C-alpha cells in the first residue's frame, strides 16, 4: 500500500491523566491509580489512531511525562532529587534537569507495560519511540562521566538493551527521536550517527530516526524565525544518515522551510514525511495532505513515503490533535487514489 500513515510519537494526554496542553505535565494521580490511568490512556490513544485510519500506531507516549525523562526514570546513576537548570539545544531554552552522578545502568525494563498494552490492543503495526543518545545528553547534566561522547555511548548501550526488549514485545518499528541532530551538525557527523547506530545495533525490526525543529512551543517557534527563508541544516547530515543502517528518516514537511529537494540526499531511506503541522491549531484538509505528499514524491519514490505528523502532539488540545489525525488518515487515502 502506498503512503501508509503513522504519527511522530506522542498524543495529548487525557485531562484525567495529566494537566492538559503543556509539556512536563504533572500527573493527576499516583501509585496504582496512576498505573491504571496510564494503561487506560494508552488503550485510548491506540483506539483514536485506529479510528483515524493510522496504519502504524504508537502508544502515544501516554505513560511518559516527557519523551526523554520517561526513559531516564528507569536508570540507576541518575539523581532526580537535585535537579539543576541547564540550557537545552544550545541554550534555546532552559529546563530543570536531573544529573548523572554514577555509572549508568537500567533498573529493569523501561517501557514494557505500555508496549505490551498497545501490542495486546491492536493488530496494526506498532511503532515505539525512544530518545536518541545525543538528545538525551542534551537534556541531562553530567556530574560523573566528564565527557559528553562517553556518556552518549553509555546511554546508547542502555537504549539498545531496551530496544531489543521492545522488539521481543512485538514492536514492529523502533524510532529514535533526535531533535538535537539539527543543532549540533559537526557532532552529528563526528559521533552522533555512530551513537545512534550503537543504539540500534542488532535490531531486526524496522528502525527510524526522527529529526525535526521541535514541538509547536514558543521557544521553538521563536527560534525558527531566526533560521532564514530556507532551513538547510539537514544538508550537512543527510549524507551520513543515508550511509547508516537506520532504515527510515522522519522529517517535517508541512509548513516547513526545509527545501524538499534535500530529501533526494536520502537515496536509500524510507522517508516519514510530516504532512501535519503541529505548530498550528489549523486543521489540515485531506487535500492539504495530498499536496504535501505530491511535493515530497518529486524527490522520494512514492513507495518510500510514509505520511506522518511533523513532530509530537503532546502539548496540543486533544480535539485539535484528533481532528488532525482524521485529516492525516483521509489525506493519505485520497493521495492513494490521486497519486497511486
Amino acid at each position: 500500500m502506498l503512503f501508509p500513515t503513522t504519527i511522530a510519537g506522542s498524543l495529548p494526554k487525557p485531562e484525567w491523566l495529566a494537566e492538559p496542553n503543556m509539556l512536563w505535565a504533572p500527573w493527576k494521580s499516583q501509585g496504582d491509580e496512576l498505573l491504571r490511568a496510564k494503561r487506560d490512556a494508552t488503550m485510548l490513544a491506540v483506539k483514536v489512531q485506529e479510528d483515524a485510519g493510522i496504519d502504524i500506531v504508537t502508544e502515544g507516549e501516554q505513560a511518559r511525562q516527557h519523551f526523554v525523562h520517561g526513559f531516564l526514570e528507569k536508570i540507576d546513576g541518575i539523581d532526580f532529587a537535585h535537579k539543576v537548570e541547564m540550557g537545552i539545544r544550545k541554550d534555546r531554552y532552559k529546563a530543570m534537569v536531573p544529573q548523572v552522578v554514577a555509572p549508568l545502568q537500567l533498573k529493569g525494563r523501561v517501557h514494557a507495560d505500555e508496549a505490551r498494552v498497545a501490542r495486546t490492543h491492536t493488530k496494526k503495526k506498532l511503532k515505539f519511540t525512544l530518545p536518541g543518545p545525543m538528545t538525551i545528553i542534551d537534556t541531562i547534566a553530567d556530574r560523573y562521566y566528564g565527557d559528553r561522547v562517553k556518556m552518549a555511548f553509555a546511554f546508547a548501550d542502555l537504549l539498545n538493551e531496551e530496544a531489543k526488549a521492545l522488539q521481543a514485545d512485538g514492536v514492529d518499528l523502533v524510532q529514535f527521536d533526535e531533535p538535537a541532530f539539527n543543532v549540533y551538525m559537526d557532532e552529528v557527523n563526528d559521533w552522533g550517527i555512530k551513537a545512534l547506530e550503537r543504539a540500534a545495533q542488532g535490531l531486526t525490526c524496522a528502525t527510524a530516526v526522527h529529526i525535526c525543529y521541535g514541538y509547536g512551543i514558543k521557544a521553538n517557534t521563536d527560534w525558527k524565525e531566526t533560521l532564514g527563508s530556507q532551513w538547510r541544516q539537514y544538508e550537512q547530515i543527510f549524507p551520513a544518515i543515508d550511509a547508516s543502517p537506520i532504515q527510515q528518516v522522519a522529517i517535517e514537511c508541512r509548513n516547513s522551510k526545509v527545501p524538499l529537494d534535500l530529501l533526494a540526499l536520502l537515496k536509500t531511506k524510507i522517508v516519514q514525511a510530516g504532512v501535519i503541522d503541529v505548530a498550528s491549531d489549523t486543521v489540515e484538509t485531506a487535500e492539504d495532505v495530498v499536496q504535501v505528499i505530491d511535493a515530497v514524491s518529486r524527490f522520494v519514490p512514492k513507495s518510500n513515503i510514509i505520511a506522518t505528523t511533523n513532530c509530537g502532539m503532546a502539548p496540543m488540545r486533544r480535539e485539535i490533535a484528533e481532528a488532525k489525525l482524521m485529516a492525516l488518515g483521509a489525506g493519505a487515502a485520497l493521495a492513494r487514489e490521486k497519486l497511486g
Side-chain angles (χ1 to χ4, degrees):
M1 179 180 70
L2 285 179
F3 316 132
T5 53
T6 190
I7 65 172
S10 67
L11 288 172
K13 295 178 176 65
E15 294 82 355
W16 41 262
L17 176 62
E19 290 292 333
N21 313 130
M22 63 184 294
L23 294 176
W24 312 89
W27 300 116
K28 291 287 189 72
S29 56
Q30 55 188 343
D32 289 344
E33 182 181 346
L34 177 58
L35 293 177
R36 288 192 297 270
K38 289 179 177 181
R39 178 180 181 275
D40 291 346
T42 298
M43 293 168 60
L44 179 61
V46 169
K47 180 69 164 61
V48 165
Q49 290 171 81
E50 288 186 338
D51 288 350
I54 304 304
D55 302 299
I56 308 165
V57 303
T58 80
E59 39 50 270
E61 300 182 8
Q62 297 297 292
R64 307 178 226 181
Q65 192 176 47
H66 183 268
F67 82 104
V68 175
H69 288 202
F71 184 76
L72 300 182
E73 289 168 357
K74 300 291 181 70
I75 298 176
D76 281 326
I78 298 177
D79 180 4
F80 275 89
H82 303 92
K83 291 184 178 179
V84 296
E85 186 177 74
M86 188 176 99
I88 291 177
R89 314 290 183 266
K90 279 191 176 177
D91 280 337
R92 193 187 316 166
Y93 53 92
K94 304 286 186 182
M96 297 301 294
V97 301
Q99 305 180 72
V100 175
V101 295
L104 297 166
Q105 185 174 351
L106 288 183
K107 297 176 182 178
R109 285 300 311 279
V110 181
H111 296 302
D113 290 346
E114 56 266 42
R116 290 167 186 172
V117 167
R119 183 69 285 168
T120 298
H121 289 279
T122 187
K123 292 182 172 59
K124 297 206 172 194
K125 286 188 175 180
L126 178 62
K127 174 167 89 171
F128 209 95
T129 58
L130 294 171
M134 179 175 281
T135 296
I136 289 178
I137 69 159
D138 194 47
T139 321
I140 192 168
D142 177 22
R143 296 293 180 271
Y144 176 77
Y145 285 92
D147 183 317
R148 280 167 51 84
V149 178
K150 185 176 180 180
M151 186 168 73
F153 276 84
F155 276 116
D157 287 336
L158 303 188
L159 288 164
N160 185 246
E161 187 177 337
E162 177 64 14
K164 287 177 177 176
L166 288 168
Q167 177 178 272
D169 291 331
V171 168
D172 301 287
L173 166 60
V174 173
Q175 175 179 292
F176 298 95
D177 294 332
E178 282 285 24
F181 268 26
N182 68 7
V183 182
Y184 305 103
M185 303 302 167
D186 291 339
E187 291 169 278
V188 171
N189 288 307
D190 289 345
W191 60 264
I193 296 292
K194 293 183 181 70
L196 181 64
E197 291 174 356
R198 175 80 66 87
Q201 191 171 9
L203 293 177
T204 56
C205 66
T207 57
V209 60
H210 170 66
I211 43 179
C212 73
Y213 288 79
Y215 292 119
I217 59 175
K218 188 176 187 300
N220 288 335
T221 54
D222 288 350
W223 170 65
K224 291 177 188 180
E225 293 298 321
T226 71
L227 297 178
S229 60
Q230 286 196 340
W231 302 346
R232 303 195 67 90
Q233 285 83 356
Y234 295 140
E235 193 167 25
Q236 302 174 50
I237 62 173
F238 273 179
I241 292 176
D242 194 56
S244 79
I246 302 296
Q247 297 160 353
Q248 302 182 15
V249 180
I251 178 174
E252 60 186 310
C253 299
R254 169 77 178 167
N255 292 342
S256 166
K257 294 179 183 177
V258 176
L260 293 183
D261 62 339
L262 296 183
L263 298 177
L265 296 172
L266 299 170
K267 302 180 183 68
T268 67
K269 305 304 176 190
I270 291 173
V271 173
Q272 294 184 29
V275 299
I276 297 293
D277 184 1
V278 302
S280 168
D281 284 348
T282 301
V283 177
E284 289 80 1
T285 66
E287 287 285 358
D288 290 333
V289 170
V290 173
Q291 186 178 38
V292 180
I293 291 175
D294 188 30
V296 170
S297 72
R298 296 169 199 165
F299 306 102
V300 179
K302 292 176 182 177
S303 59
N304 284 358
I305 297 174
I306 294 174
T308 187
T309 58
N310 277 352
C311 189
M313 303 173 93
M316 297 189 76
R317 297 193 342 244
R318 281 179 67 193
E319 66 273 18
I320 297 294
E322 292 178 15
K324 284 176 174 280
L325 288 185
M326 297 298 289
L328 174 56
L334 185 61
R336 290 176 206 120
E337 181 183 317
K338 288 193 167 189
L339 307 176

